[in-house]
Amino acid sequence: MSLADARAICPDLATRPADLAREAAALANLRRWAGRYAPMVATDGVDGLMADISGVPHLFGGESGLRDDLQARLEKMGLHATSAIAGTRGAAHALARHGGGIVADGRLAQGIGHLPVTALRVDHDTAEALARVGLARIADLVHLPRAPLARRFGAGLVLRLDQALGAQAEPVAAEQDAPHFGVRMTLPEPIGKQEDVMAGLSRLLERLCAKLAQHRMGARRVRLELRRVDRGTAQVEIGLARPMRDPARIAALFAKDVEGVDSGFGLDELRLSAPVTEPLAPEQIGGSPTTRHDDALADLLSSVGNRIGFDRVLRLLPAASLIPERSFLLAPAAYSTPEPIPHRTRVARPIILFPPEPVTAASGTPPASFRWRRMRFTTLRATGPERITPEWWFDDPAWRSGLRDYWRIETQEGPRLWLFQTPQTPSWASPEAQNWYVQGEFA
Amino acid sequence: MLLRDATPSDPLTLLRARVHEAEGRGRRAFALFQAVRHQGPLVWVLPSHVPELPMLRGLPEGVGERLHVIRPEGEVDLLWCVEEALRSAPIALVIAEPDKPLSLTAGRRLQLAAEAGRTTGLLLIRAGAGSNATETRWNCEPAASAAADSTLHRWSLNKNKRGTIGIWTLNWNGASPAVHMVSEARQRHEPQGSPR
C-alpha cells in the first residue's frame, strides 16, 4: 500500500522515515543473539536472518521445539517474526517469507511447491515472464525440462530453483564478529585503596593491550568501570593523543582520575574497555631517541588533553586561502599530523593576527597618523596596498564590507602594523568615512 | 640536586632549564625569535580568550610545523599546562601568556618544573606583572628605523639573576635565525658588574 492510499484511509496516520543505519544495527544485534541457536548465523537481506542449524535441533527437542522456542522468545522481545525450517537455504528463505513452517526432510518439492515463483529470489522481469506463460507456482516449474527453461528465462532461474531444491549447494556465509576490546575482573573481596585499584588496572591493561596487539589495533579512548559492592558504579575515561597499546603509559594517564574515585564500601568488579580504537601496525618501541621523544610528546598531549579537553590542544595547519583568517587552521593536535608549510609568499605576512580593530582619527590614505588602542601613532613608512578580495563562495560576515586594501605601516613609535581599508563601504554606512582597521602586527 | 648550566656566551640566548619573562609590545616577536633558536617541539600556552593568534604564514621558517597551541580556560589550568609542558623532556621551549602576575610560589614551581624537564620557559607578561622567581626579564619594544629594509628591535634585559643587564638594538626580520646587532653609542645606565 502506498503512503497516499494509507493517508486516504486514515488521515491521522503517524509516519516516520526509515532509519536504515539503526535498522541494520538492530539486525546485527539480533544476529548476535541468534547465536544461541546455531554456530553459523548470517544476515539475509535487510530484514532476515539465516542460521545453519545442522546438528542443533535435538538440543531443543526437535525442529518444531526449536522453532517454537525461537518464536516464543522473539514474541517476548516484542518482535513479530516469521520463521521457517527447511533442508536448503533457498527453501527456508521462500517459506519464511510466505507464512513460515517446517519442511520435512526429503519433501522439499512438496513443501514449497505451493509458493509463488517470486519466492525463489528471481528478479522482477523473470517473475513477470513466468506469469505471462502461466507458470505461477514453484510446483509448475519443478517438472519442466531444465534446458528450455534456462534458454527461455536465463540461467538465474534454474540456479535459484536448484538451490531451493537442494541440487545446488548454498552454504550459510556467517560474517565474522568484530573483536570486542573489553576485559573484566571480579574480585572475591572488595578493595578500596588506590594502589589496589591501580594494580588491578595494570593486570587488566596487560590483557587488553595483548588483545589489541593481536588485532593490530591501538586504543584511542579507554574506559574503566568500577562497580561498588552496593551496586553503584564509578567510571573513569581517558583519551589518548594517538593510538596506543602500551600498558604502562596508559596506566600513568589513569592515575590522576583513579585518585578521585569514591570507592564507597569497596569495589568488587573492574571492567576495562576500549570504546574507540584505530589500526596500529606493529612498530619498534623505545628504540631510537626520536621514537622516545615522539612517545613523550604524545604523553604530554594526552595528559593535557584529558584535563582541558582535546579540542584545546591545537596545531597550526596551512589552508589554501588568501583570506588571512582562513589561511591557516587550528586543528586538534591529537587528530592531525603536522603538514609542511608552503613556501613563503612574496608579500610579508604579520606574525600575530587578531580580529580587525578600527582605528580612529585616521588622516589620509594611507593614514599619516591614527589612534589605535588609545595610543597615537605616526606613520613613518607605508608599504602597499595589497588588495585581497573576499571569497564570494563563502558568506563570511566579516568580509561583507567587500574588498580590502592591506598596508604594512611602520610607525614612528615602533610597532609595525597591518592595516586595511575597505574602499567598497558606502560612505553612509560609516559617517566618519574612516574604514581603517588594524588586523595584525609584524615582527 | 640542582645542575647549574653555564651562563650562555651569546647575550640573547636564554639559559636552559629556567623560566624567563618578556614584557612590552615586542614580546611576541621576542618569543618567536627564541623559538627559532630552540630545536625541537614548541608549546605556546595561550588563554582561550586572547584574540591574538600566531599567523602561520608569517611565522619564521621551521617554527609553524613544530608549534603546538594549547588554549586553556582559566589561570589554574594555564599554570598546570605550563608546568606539565615544562616537565616534559622533549619540549624545547614553552611560551605562555599568563593574565595575572605570578605568585612567588607559582613562579618557583615553574622553575622547579623547568629544571626537572630540562626545558626552557618564556612567560609573556603584562608590563610590570613580573615574578621574583624569574631568571631573566626582558623588555621588548619594536623600534622605528631610518632604513627601509630594517626591522629594528630594542630588547633590554632588566633583570638577570646570573649576569649583567644590558640593552641591545638589533635588526631581525622575523623570518630567518640571522640577526644583526646594531651598535649604538650610548651612556652606561647601570652600575658595572653587579647583577640585580
Side-chain angles (χ1 to χ4, degrees):
Chain A
M1 185 183 287
S2 68
L3 180 60
D5 292 346
R7 281 247 171 86
I9 296 167
C10 175
D12 298 336
L13 189 67
T15 56
R16 217 168 292 151
D19 188 345
L20 298 180
R22 284 179 64 189
E23 277 175 18
L27 189 65
N29 286 344
L30 201 61
R31 189 185 76 82
R32 259 190 90 188
W33 171 82
R36 71 196 305 281
Y37 291 106
M40 303 274 270
V41 186
T43 53
D44 185 28
V46 294
D47 59 348
L49 291 177
M50 183 66 66
D52 184 356
I53 55 162
S54 311
V56 177
H58 72 273
L59 300 172
F60 294 88
E63 283 176 355
S64 59
L66 190 150
R67 183 161 171 266
D68 292 346
D69 184 64
L70 173 76
Q71 289 285 8
R73 281 176 193 277
L74 286 172
E75 202 75 34
K76 222 168 155 186
M77 280 192 247
L79 294 172
H80 298 284
T82 324
S83 59
I85 297 176
T88 62
R89 205 182 143 175
H93 176 99
L95 198 57
R97 277 157 183 78
H98 292 87
I102 299 175
V103 179
D105 256 353
R107 296 177 56 80
L108 269 175
Q110 292 90 330
I112 63 167
H114 63 282
L115 300 179
V117 284
T118 48
L120 276 179
R121 294 179 284 172
V122 291
D123 54 17
H124 184 70
D125 292 342
T126 315
E128 209 166 284
L130 285 168
R132 205 173 296 136
V133 295
L135 299 169
R137 308 204 163 272
I138 295 175
D140 303 336
L141 292 176
V142 173
H143 303 295
L144 292 180
R146 291 302 156 92
L149 204 59
R151 199 162 58 231
R152 182 147 182 187
F153 300 105
L157 173 67
V158 180
L159 175 72
R160 288 304 186 197
L161 191 60
D162 283 346
Q163 282 175 342
L165 297 176
Q168 185 91 29
E170 189 185 11
V172 173
E175 57 255 52
Q176 210 166 12
D177 277 323
H180 174 65
F181 298 111
V183 287
R184 66 177 178 171
M185 178 190 270
T186 320
L187 303 165
E189 285 286 319
I191 57 169
K193 286 173 77 178
Q194 193 193 334
E195 302 91 85
D196 297 345
V197 176
M198 289 305 288
L201 173 67
S202 65
R203 284 196 201 176
L204 287 178
L205 266 174
E206 260 170 42
R207 281 165 53 196
L208 182 70
C209 292
K211 203 166 182 183
L212 285 167
Q214 194 189 342
H215 290 97
R216 298 198 169 184
M217 299 292 269
R220 233 16 229 271
R221 290 199 80 79
V222 186
R223 185 187 296 153
L224 174 67
E225 282 163 68
L226 303 159
R227 204 184 64 190
R228 299 195 201 103
V229 283
D230 57 1
R231 301 278 158 185
T233 51
Q235 188 173 318
V236 177
E237 189 167 332
I238 58 151
L240 298 165
R242 62 173 200 184
M244 205 185 276
R245 51 165 184 257
D246 184 349
R249 285 167 59 204
I250 298 176
L253 292 170
F254 268 111
K256 207 182 112 35
D257 286 339
V258 166
E259 203 176 317
V261 167
D262 174 20
S263 63
F265 294 108
L267 305 162
D268 63 355
E269 190 184 319
L270 297 123
R271 189 189 277 266
L272 187 71
S273 56
V276 184
T277 54
E278 279 178 18
L280 175 64
E283 62 178 11
Q284 181 77 39
I285 52 166
S288 65
T290 358
T291 327
R292 252 179 289 138
H293 270 198
D294 286 353
D295 287 352
L297 186 61
D299 285 353
L300 171 71
L301 297 182
S302 301
S303 66
V304 172
N306 277 317
R307 172 153 175 162
I308 66 170
F310 279 93
D311 53 339
R312 293 175 178 275
V313 185
L314 305 163
R315 172 179 282 149
L316 297 168
L317 296 179
S321 173
L322 290 173
I323 304 290
E325 296 94 322
R326 280 203 288 269
S327 66
F328 63 98
L329 297 170
L330 276 170
Y335 301 100
S336 61
T337 47
E339 284 175 31
I341 291 156
H343 196 68
R344 289 171 71 88
T345 46
R346 281 172 288 115
V347 282
R349 285 280 176 260
I351 54 167
I352 299 293
L353 190 76
F354 41 84
E357 296 174 11
V359 304
T360 50
S363 58
T365 303
S369 67
F370 55 94
R371 286 182 72 81
W372 173 60
R373 288 187 181 177
R374 297 190 183 178
M375 284 177 285
R376 175 116 218 125
F377 292 97
T378 315
T379 304
L380 176 69
R381 201 171 293 118
T383 319
E386 180 196 353
R387 176 160 286 188
I388 298 181
T389 52
E391 292 173 335
W392 52 263
W393 55 94
F394 285 124
D395 185 23
D396 188 348
W399 280 78
R400 288 210 182 126
S401 52
L403 300 175
R404 291 184 181 181
D405 283 344
Y406 278 90
W407 292 79
R408 175 193 153 113
I409 306 275
E410 292 183 36
T411 59
Q412 201 87 55
E413 286 74 16
R416 291 168 277 271
L417 301 172
W418 208 32
L419 269 73
F420 70 82
Q421 191 196 11
T422 51
Q424 286 183 335
T425 310
S427 54
W428 50 264
S430 54
E432 291 94 32
Q434 287 182 341
N435 309 318
W436 286 93
Y437 299 87
V438 186
Q439 208 187 0
E441 263 182 278
F442 288 91
Chain B
M1 191 186 68
L2 191 64
L3 291 169
R4 289 283 181 199
D5 287 81
T7 312
S9 53
D10 181 358
L12 295 176
T13 305
L14 298 180
L15 190 62
R16 260 192 76 200
R18 300 294 288 171
V19 176
H20 308 260
E21 283 179 358
E23 57 183 18
R25 280 186 294 202
R27 58 188 190 272
R28 294 195 177 94
F30 181 74
L32 287 174
F33 172 76
Q34 293 298 340
V36 177
R37 293 183 146 211
H38 284 80
Q39 300 303 315
L42 308 164
V43 170
W44 194 317
V45 186
L46 202 63
S48 55
H49 58 81
V50 171
E52 284 100 347
L53 284 175
M55 185 172 174
L56 185 66
R57 283 171 204 268
L59 295 183
E61 280 165 38
V63 169
E65 296 95 333
R66 297 185 283 140
L67 189 63
H68 296 88
V69 179
I70 299 180
R71 309 205 69 183
E73 211 165 339
E75 196 72 8
V76 178
D77 272 355
L78 179 127
L79 288 177
W80 182 85
C81 290
V82 176
E83 189 179 344
E84 199 76 356
L86 283 171
R87 268 186 206 287
S88 171
I91 304 290
L93 178 69
V94 181
I95 304 166
E97 302 192 16
D99 287 329
K100 297 182 194 138
L102 292 191
S103 67
L104 190 58
T105 318
R108 190 74 199 123
R109 264 190 88 112
L110 295 188
Q111 292 292 8
L112 291 173
E115 272 159 25
R118 313 288 301 151
T119 309
T120 315
L122 179 63
L123 303 182
L124 307 182
I125 53 169
R126 307 276 170 89
S131 149
N132 277 334
T134 182
E135 177 74 27
T136 58
R137 186 177 305 130
W138 299 77
N139 191 347
C140 311
E141 290 290 339
S145 61
D149 58 344
S150 65
T151 45
L152 294 189
H153 300 265
R154 184 169 293 116
W155 291 339
S156 54
L157 182 54
N158 286 338
K159 168 183 169 138
N160 191 353
K161 281 194 174 179
R162 218 163 298 169
T164 54
I165 54 178
I167 300 178
W168 290 271
T169 305
L170 49 102
N171 179 9
W172 179 56
N173 64 0
S176 62
V179 289
H180 302 286
M181 290 285 188
V182 179
S183 54
E184 225 174 349
R186 70 174 186 106
Q187 275 197 315
R188 185 193 294 280
H189 302 298
E190 61 273 16
Q192 188 177 10
S194 58
R196 242 195 304 168

